[in-house]
């Protein structure tokens, strides 16, 4: 099953998606599409990585900023 969570910058997408997956499954892929082009984004990415690591949940993080449809096809195949 794939669930795509969309929304604006700083809209709570990550927190919502993380809580949703933790309620649905014992482990999940976390597809990160953000890119660290500036210091603020580097800090936000590092915070999200730390939060996932500290959650104790079995995340497998995949970084794919460009070809999300292809990645989703590979995961479902």
């Amino acid at each position: 099953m794939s669930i795509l969570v969309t929304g604006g910058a700083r809209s709570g997408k990550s927190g919502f998606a993380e809580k949703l997956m933790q309620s649905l499954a014992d482990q999940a892929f976390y597809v990160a599409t953000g890119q660290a082009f500036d210091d603020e984004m580097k800090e936000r990415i590092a915070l999200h990585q730390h939060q996932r690591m500290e959650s104790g949940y079995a995340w497998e993080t995949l970084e794919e900023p460009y070809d999300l449809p292809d990645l989703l096809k590979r995961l479902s195949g």
Side-chain angles (χ1 to χ4, degrees), residues 14-71:
S14 296
F16 173 80
E18 290 165 15
K19 287 178 184 154
L20 177 63
M21 288 313 302
Q22 289 172 0
S23 74
L24 295 175
D26 294 331
Q27 61 183 23
F29 289 108
Y30 190 101
V31 180
T33 59
Q35 294 181 277
F37 290 123
D38 59 30
D39 289 338
E40 178 186 3
M41 194 61 174
K42 287 177 187 173
E43 289 175 18
R44 291 178 63 204
I45 289 171
L47 175 64
H48 286 208
Q49 290 170 336
H50 178 75
Q51 288 171 331
R52 286 194 301 275
M53 185 176 61
E54 291 292 313
S55 74
Y57 185 76
W59 294 110
E60 182 175 342
T61 301
L62 306 171
E63 296 185 15
E64 181 49 68
Y66 300 111
D67 198 354
L68 184 57
D70 182 62
L71 175 64

